[in-house]
Amino acid sequence: MEMDEDEKFKGFWRFFKLGVLVENDPGKDFVDVGEGLLVEIAKALKFPVASMLPPEAFTVVRKSFDARKSQKEPKFVYTVEMDVDKLLSLEPRTYDFISSLEPKIGVIEHMPYERAVGDLVNVINDNKKIEHDKVPGENGHSGSLGSHTKSKIAVVGSGPAGLFASLVLAEFGVDVTLIERGQPVEKRGRDIGALVVRKILQSESNFCFGEGGAGTWSDGKLVTRIGRNSGSVLSVMKTLVRFGAPESILVDGKPHLGTDRLIPLLRNFRQHLQEIGVNIRFGTRVDDLIVENGHVVGVNVSDSSGSSQFNSEKLGFDAVVLAVGHSARDVYQTLLSHNVELVPKDFAVGLRVEHPQELINSIQYSKLANEVRSGRGKIPVADYKVVEYVKGEGNGTPFTSQRSCYSFCMCPGGQVVVTSIDPTELCINGMSFSRRASKWANAALAVTVSLEDFSALGFHGPLAGVEFQREFEQRAATMGGGNFVVPVQTVKDFMDNTLSATTLPSSSYRLGVKATNLHELFPVHITEALQHSLSTFDQELPGFISHNALLHGVETRTSSPVQIPRNADTFESVSLGGLYPVGEGAGYAGGIVSAAVDGMYAGFALAKRLDLFKGDIESIFGRTQNSGFAKY
């Protein structure tokens, strides 16, 4: 069905898949409309002279780099938005060419109006409802949701979910206390430095606990599987820009921040929360919930900073938003003591593989590899994303169902870091800074595991997955010999099930590595799934199996092993009133952005429950998508 011609001159047109060769593009850090892109826009418009098109009429919506082997030549790929009114006012001779346009999904699409979603602060200011005519305390009593006193809400955990839930609630006028067992980023950075340099682990301030959550000392990835163009994701991204992220994250096809950019961003976020009245308590651990008549009415807290300011304190609240992340295992035990329903869920375990970054650049870019220049060149530092589906076929294992093995949290130009919270357990992750300038590339190679795997080792019940994680973290610690030394094996030796006498390649891991046969770590079916997948990955990325590639054990915390069932509309726990479980630790997110979105939606749902928000959340952002077990 052809489009009505008058409609073509209203609003915006969006052009997709406009490819610009590397030599015709200013490079990865340029997000405006350059000459090379104007040429491709002219082709899409069938306009004869690209130089006559006014760049001001076009906006880059997305820019990514495509170096797939299926492409004849690597290129930058753009999505561009065209403002019809602006184009016609600046170049009236484009009228006939606009008239000839016909929409084609995924190639060129027409939008009658631009969907403008602002940052979260502006969104809330546009939508909040303030009841000026009601006197506080007139129609209710303190501690009752929906009463007309100022409700007191605790948000436990200052990762993305907790920060965004706090922001929403405080902007709506709620009395919010943000409780974080760890330290603010400045002190947390010093504690992490002591761990990396002197092997001194602070159990409450480390790579997992502290302001910003586990994602702060990571790659700062902002990719997500819940819809990059959705209103909720755009609002989260614009909120990050408001607090200091570069505007390029709104355009970059694979946006990331890096730890160095996350730290000042979090300081700005914290300052704003404090300015709007949020009471932030760092170094404060929630030891228990205070429950009366099946409803949370407060929390018991204690000093977790080691300064012994207080032993125990009871704090009263009308509701508790639980955003503790996937490593707060003690919180799961606390929930069970109150008969809160917890459900074990699938996740993934595996090893972290590290290659020289130059090798990955060469595999992915061939002759263009020299354009990377340690993150300062025209093209991005090379990454990869690989997945293989493996079906059990005997070998002494009862499992025949299909499981996936995939690369996870790939950190180009990064380093391997320890994420243990207990010195008797060893687990690792990857991190990188914004320029991704180190000489190593690392990624987890993770295999999905489920209840069958847990029960095979004798682990049952709601925390079976947690016990499964702990089993392999303890095994890895023993194999490394303790003191956070990581057991490693070259990929080539792992494939051959041998431990050769050759010198190990260098590792970015700074606390020490020990040559070990990693076949002794996992059950045989997980090991064989990893071997099979590595063979497949090497076919896709020739050179992936190499004596210069080093496997590190063990990576177990790819996502939460537990989900806390909640009401899909209200976000409230189905088994305990007043408890709002959100984010990765509750089993509803898989990365910085999806956790932020989950916390944001929970904040709006609670504000609605408190009669502070009368609108419809989906009318603002569209339908939320819980990522659950997400690969990011």
Side-chain angles (χ1 to χ4, degrees), residues 272-300:
H272 179 81
L273 290 178
Q274 291 171 330
E275 287 173 353
I276 60 175
V278 176
N279 176 25
I280 304 178
R281 296 187 54 160
F282 292 111
T284 304
R285 181 180 53 245
V286 172
D287 297 316
D288 201 3
L289 302 176
I290 303 172
V291 178
E292 295 178 3
N293 302 317
H295 196 280
V296 175
V297 295
V299 293
N300 283 337

Side-chain angles (χ1 to χ4, degrees), residues 352 406-410 443-446 555 557-559 630-632:
R352 187 156 282 265
Y406 56 92
S407 60
F408 172 83
C409 189
M410 198 272 155
L445 296 181
E555 181 128 1
R557 303 187 191 185
T558 54
S559 68
K631 301 186 279 290
Y632 64 100

Side-chain angles (χ1 to χ4, degrees), residues 350-607:
L351 306 168
R352 187 156 282 265
V353 63
E354 184 169 72
H355 295 80
Q357 182 63 55
E358 285 187 355
L359 175 60
I360 300 301
N361 292 343
S362 178
I363 290 173
Q364 294 290 58
Y365 296 156
S366 300
K367 295 179 181 179
L368 270 179
N370 62 356
E371 291 287 348
V372 173
R373 297 174 192 165
S374 298
R376 297 183 181 276
K378 287 189 72 171
I379 63 178
V381 180
D383 62 6
Y384 57 81
K385 182 178 181 181
V386 285
V387 63
E388 171 68 1
Y389 297 95
V390 182
K391 187 171 183 179
E393 296 176 352
N395 300 316
T397 173
F399 310 118
T400 56
S401 59
Q402 180 172 275
R403 66 178 79 224
S404 60
C405 180
Y406 56 92
S407 60
F408 172 83
C409 189
M410 198 272 155
C411 297
Q415 58 189 287
V416 179
V417 296
V418 63
T419 52
S420 302
I421 55 176
D422 184 317
T424 67
E425 300 164 0
L426 181 63
C427 57
I428 55 175
N429 194 15
M431 68 162 283
S432 63
F433 295 102
S434 57
R435 276 291 172 187
R436 292 171 162 170
S438 94
K439 64 180 182 180
W440 294 281
N442 70 75
L445 296 181
V447 179
T448 51
V449 291
S450 63
L451 287 174
E452 280 185 312
D453 300 285
F454 311 156
S455 61
L457 292 181
F459 302 130
H460 306 280
L463 300 185
V466 174
E467 294 306 313
F468 188 84
Q469 287 177 325
R470 185 176 279 122
E471 169 72 19
F472 296 106
E473 291 170 7
Q474 291 175 347
R475 287 190 193 182
T478 300
M479 292 170 68
N483 213 19
F484 306 114
V485 174
V486 165
V488 297
Q489 188 175 17
T490 68
V491 172
K492 189 69 171 61
D493 281 357
F494 181 76
M495 298 301 292
D496 297 337
N497 191 13
T498 61
L499 198 59
S500 65
T502 58
T503 303
L504 289 172
S506 64
S507 169
S508 67
Y509 184 74
R510 295 175 60 181
L511 300 183
V513 298
K514 178 183 177 181
T516 313
N517 190 341
L518 293 175
H519 281 244
E520 299 171 6
L521 180 59
F522 290 119
V524 64
H525 57 281
I526 293 180
T527 301
E528 290 183 349
L530 286 165
Q531 285 180 301
H532 176 84
S533 299
L534 280 164
S535 295
T536 304
F537 299 161
D538 190 64
Q539 294 172 21
E540 186 175 342
L541 304 170
F544 199 83
I545 295 176
S546 166
H547 280 298
N548 291 322
L550 196 61
L551 290 166
H552 302 64
V554 64
E555 181 128 1
T556 56
R557 303 187 191 185
T558 54
S559 68
S560 174
V562 168
Q563 188 169 73
I564 307 171
R566 68 187 185 190
N567 182 288
D569 296 319
T570 66
F571 287 70
E572 189 173 24
S573 164
V574 298
S575 51
L576 183 60
L579 182 70
Y580 293 79
V582 299
E584 274 203 67
Y588 294 98
I592 292 173
V593 172
S594 60
V597 168
D598 199 58
M600 179 178 75
Y601 269 85
F604 272 94
L606 190 45

Side-chain angles (χ1 to χ4, degrees), residues 172-225:
F172 275 116
V174 176
D175 183 351
V176 177
T177 298
L178 176 57
I179 302 172
E180 169 56 55
R181 69 194 301 165
Q183 295 297 318
V185 288
E186 301 90 345
K187 173 67 165 61
R188 186 182 177 194
R190 292 193 291 272
D191 291 336
I192 286 173
L195 172 60
V196 171
V197 176
R198 302 194 300 277
K199 297 191 175 185
I200 300 172
L201 173 65
Q202 299 292 339
S203 61
E204 304 286 354
S205 180
N206 45 55
F207 280 95
C208 288
F209 297 149
E211 186 175 23
T216 305
W217 268 266
S218 70
D219 189 53
K221 286 180 180 60
L222 302 177
V223 293
T224 177
R225 300 178 70 204

Side-chain angles (χ1 to χ4, degrees), residues 595-632:
V597 168
D598 199 58
M600 179 178 75
Y601 269 85
F604 272 94
L606 190 45
K608 195 175 184 73
R609 177 88 176 267
L610 295 169
D611 201 31
L612 298 171
F613 171 59
K614 289 291 191 182
D616 177 69
I617 303 171
E618 291 184 4
S619 68
I620 302 173
F621 301 117
R623 180 173 292 275
T624 182
Q625 294 175 268
N626 291 326
S627 56
F629 172 51
K631 301 186 279 290
Y632 64 100

Side-chain angles (χ1 to χ4, degrees), residues 111-154:
M111 300 176 294
Y113 55 89
E114 187 176 38
R115 186 177 184 185
V117 179
D119 68 73
L120 199 48
V121 175
N122 287 326
V123 167
I124 294 171
N125 286 333
D126 289 342
N127 288 276
K128 67 183 176 182
K129 170 181 175 290
I130 302 174
E131 297 185 18
H132 295 283
D133 57 333
K134 294 189 177 179
V135 180
E138 186 180 53
N139 295 312
H141 61 278
S142 179
S144 174
L145 278 181
S147 72
H148 299 298
T149 55
K150 194 171 185 179
S151 297
K152 294 178 64 177
I153 306 295

Side-chain angles (χ1 to χ4, degrees), residues 259-382:
T259 294
D260 50 325
R261 284 176 172 165
L262 275 166
I263 290 172
L265 186 156
L266 285 167
R267 284 199 299 261
N268 294 338
F269 206 133
R270 180 206 315 159
Q271 182 178 356
H272 179 81
L273 290 178
Q274 291 171 330
E275 287 173 353
I276 60 175
V278 176
N279 176 25
I280 304 178
R281 296 187 54 160
F282 292 111
T284 304
R285 181 180 53 245
V286 172
D287 297 316
D288 201 3
L289 302 176
I290 303 172
V291 178
E292 295 178 3
N293 302 317
H295 196 280
V296 175
V297 295
V299 293
N300 283 337
V301 299
S302 63
D303 172 36
S304 64
S305 66
S307 59
S308 300
Q309 293 176 348
F310 60 92
N311 291 323
S312 183
E313 185 180 356
K314 291 185 177 182
L315 304 175
F317 294 103
D318 300 316
V320 173
V321 176
L322 195 67
V324 294
H326 58 47
S327 291
R329 294 167 172 172
D330 54 339
V331 175
Y332 295 145
Q333 292 284 0
T334 298
L335 295 176
L336 286 178
S337 72
H338 291 286
N339 298 315
V340 174
E341 184 182 358
L342 303 180
V343 179
K345 69 182 256 302
D346 295 358
F347 59 103
V349 298
L351 306 168
R352 187 156 282 265
V353 63
E354 184 169 72
H355 295 80
Q357 182 63 55
E358 285 187 355
L359 175 60
I360 300 301
N361 292 343
S362 178
I363 290 173
Q364 294 290 58
Y365 296 156
S366 300
K367 295 179 181 179
L368 270 179
N370 62 356
E371 291 287 348
V372 173
R373 297 174 192 165
S374 298
R376 297 183 181 276
K378 287 189 72 171
I379 63 178
V381 180

